[in-house]
Amino acid sequence: MNQSDFLKMVSPFKDKVFRLAKRLLISREEAEDATQELLFKLWKSKEKISDYNNIEAFAMTMTKNYCYDRLKSKQASNLTLVHTNYKEKETPLDKKVEDQDSVNLVHTLIESLPLQQKIIIQLRDIEQYDFDEICKMVAMKPVAVRVTLSRARKTIREALIKKHNYGVS
Amino acid sequence: MELANIEKLVEKYLNAETTLQDEKTLRTYFKEAIVPTHLQEYAYLFSYFANTKDETFSQTIKLESKKSKKSTVKWLSIAASILLLFGIFIGEQAYKRHQAKKQFEQISKGLRLLSLNLKKGEVAVSSLYGYENTVKKIIK
């Protein structure tokens, strides 16, 4: 496998890796570093990769584990503290400000979820993976995945309703 | 799609019982239809999901062995610690040499003093011989 083959192979899921990393590590810079690192790791183990029949799922699992490690290391915990107030820079401007506020609120709400719920909502609602694939990626039973997902969705919805009823709008 | 169906789907969605197909239906509904107020929060939710999916990894992928900041720091710290060890080693040697020199000087000073005093003694003793000779002469 040469470089261009490899790049072709990873291009369908490199954005997904990046988005998952960003979801977990919060800051864009951290996520970019993590993605580079992960793709580089994949490239180095390219001989072994051909044995896996689902490279994308493998890459997502790797991303999850890598981000867990980063979060565990002291260095990264300092970083997350710094970036808790992080806001998305590239917000599309063509939306109404009020709507944009509520949409941004979803981002903050997901950020405050437990790690596992974050991962699963990212994989399901944003990347739209099959339940079977998610089970493989996070090494969990289907029932557990569904329960976690349901919990995450309900938490976000309730918080949104609360905001809608008692908030500024 | 009619509202009753959407409400059912939304309920299933909250319980994580929807299929990918169902979720696609919900996404298109909340994107295109005029959403009734009691479902407004889902519109925010799905519009956030859609926005987020547009984000891409824009950096070029580096496959050559790259030197990240972290590894530079690692190597720097290794180099610094080696330098420190080396410095301690050299310093200790220099200190030992200095110490030995000091000791040598002290000892030689002591010895010089000793030999000086011995010489004095010798002179004194040799004068004693003089007295002895005189004494002998007198006795004879």
Side-chain angles (χ1 to χ4, degrees):
Chain A
M1 195 192 299
N2 62 28
Q3 288 206 7
S4 66
D5 287 341
F6 177 79
L7 290 179
K8 230 177 266 171
M9 189 191 77
V10 298
S11 70
F13 62 83
K14 69 171 173 37
D15 293 335
K16 296 181 183 178
V17 166
F18 172 63
R19 286 192 292 257
L20 179 61
K22 186 160 170 257
R23 172 72 58 211
L24 295 173
L25 300 175
I26 296 160
S27 101
R28 186 186 186 91
E29 288 75 21
E30 271 278 290
E32 277 168 351
D33 283 356
T35 313
Q36 288 285 7
E37 190 74 36
L38 283 160
L39 291 174
F40 186 63
K41 271 188 190 170
L42 266 183
W43 165 247
K44 274 200 292 192
S45 56
K46 57 184 182 294
E47 270 78 41
K48 277 182 267 164
I49 283 177
S50 41
D51 299 341
Y52 297 107
N53 42 15
N54 193 345
I55 295 163
E56 184 170 334
F58 175 68
M60 294 309 272
T61 312
M62 241 172 96
T63 310
K64 186 205 79 177
N65 292 337
Y66 181 82
C67 293
Y68 268 31
D69 287 349
R70 294 289 300 147
L71 288 175
K72 258 185 232 160
S73 78
K74 211 176 175 187
Q75 204 185 357
S77 72
N78 287 339
L79 269 173
T80 46
L81 276 180
V82 173
H83 286 282
T84 32
N85 295 327
Y86 178 80
K87 281 217 177 84
E88 187 52 64
K89 282 182 241 159
E90 297 148 24
T91 42
L93 291 166
D94 53 355
K95 292 234 172 197
K96 280 182 199 163
V97 180
E98 195 182 317
D99 274 6
Q100 195 54 57
D101 269 359
S102 294
V103 174
N104 274 339
L105 180 66
V106 179
H107 182 79
T108 326
L109 290 172
I110 295 179
E111 212 147 87
S112 60
L113 289 175
L115 214 51
Q116 204 152 46
Q117 294 186 17
K118 256 192 226 177
I119 295 174
I120 290 176
I121 208 155
Q122 174 78 18
L123 292 177
R124 178 65 178 191
D125 278 333
I126 292 158
E127 309 300 356
Q128 290 146 34
Y129 279 113
D130 209 51
F131 272 117
D132 292 342
E133 285 177 302
I134 295 175
C135 292
K136 261 184 242 154
M137 287 170 192
V138 296
M140 275 166 72
K141 294 216 169 78
V143 181
V145 170
R146 278 178 200 271
V147 169
T148 313
L149 182 62
S150 165
R151 217 167 271 162
R153 283 172 174 172
K154 280 176 181 161
T155 313
I156 297 167
R157 178 182 172 243
E158 270 152 30
L160 276 174
I161 289 174
K162 219 174 177 182
K163 153 93 179 175
H164 210 69
N165 290 344
Y166 307 110
V168 191
S169 57
Chain B
M1 198 175 232
E2 53 198 282
L3 191 58
N5 263 339
I6 291 295
E7 279 170 352
K8 250 184 239 164
L9 269 186
V10 152
E11 196 54 43
K12 275 172 79 183
Y13 172 79
L14 279 188
N15 293 324
E17 286 158 355
T18 39
T19 62
L20 282 176
Q21 192 56 45
D22 293 340
E23 283 166 24
K24 201 175 167 196
T25 313
L26 283 174
R27 262 199 303 283
T28 30
Y29 173 81
F30 284 109
K31 195 174 157 198
E32 282 155 13
I34 298 157
V35 182
T37 32
H38 69 287
L39 293 178
Q40 184 61 44
E41 69 269 16
Y42 294 102
Y44 298 139
L45 198 58
F46 284 106
S47 110
Y48 171 74
F49 291 153
N51 284 354
T52 312
K53 220 194 166 181
D54 292 339
E55 197 173 358
T56 54
F57 180 64
S58 46
Q59 288 189 339
T60 44
I61 299 167
K62 292 173 218 139
L63 296 180
E64 309 305 324
S65 66
K66 55 185 177 65
K67 286 270 192 299
S68 70
K69 281 179 218 156
K70 279 156 239 149
S71 78
T72 321
V73 168
K74 201 175 81 188
W75 282 111
L76 257 177
S77 58
I78 289 173
S81 53
I82 288 174
L83 215 68
L84 188 69
L85 273 176
F86 195 66
I88 289 172
F89 180 70
I90 294 277
E92 206 193 346
Q93 282 213 326
Y95 178 72
K96 269 185 187 159
R97 216 176 301 140
H98 176 71
Q99 211 61 353
K101 211 174 157 189
K102 230 164 105 181
Q103 252 172 9
F104 173 74
E105 266 165 18
Q106 264 180 350
I107 290 172
S108 57
K109 196 180 163 194
L111 283 177
R112 250 201 313 278
L113 214 69
L114 194 72
S115 76
L116 205 73
N117 285 333
L118 272 179
K119 252 182 207 155
K120 273 187 202 160
E122 208 176 11
V123 173
V125 169
S126 65
S127 67
L128 261 184
Y129 282 127
Y131 289 128
E132 207 180 68
N133 284 342
T134 344
V135 170
K136 270 180 190 163
K137 270 181 195 165
I138 293 168
I139 291 170
K140 275 175 191 172

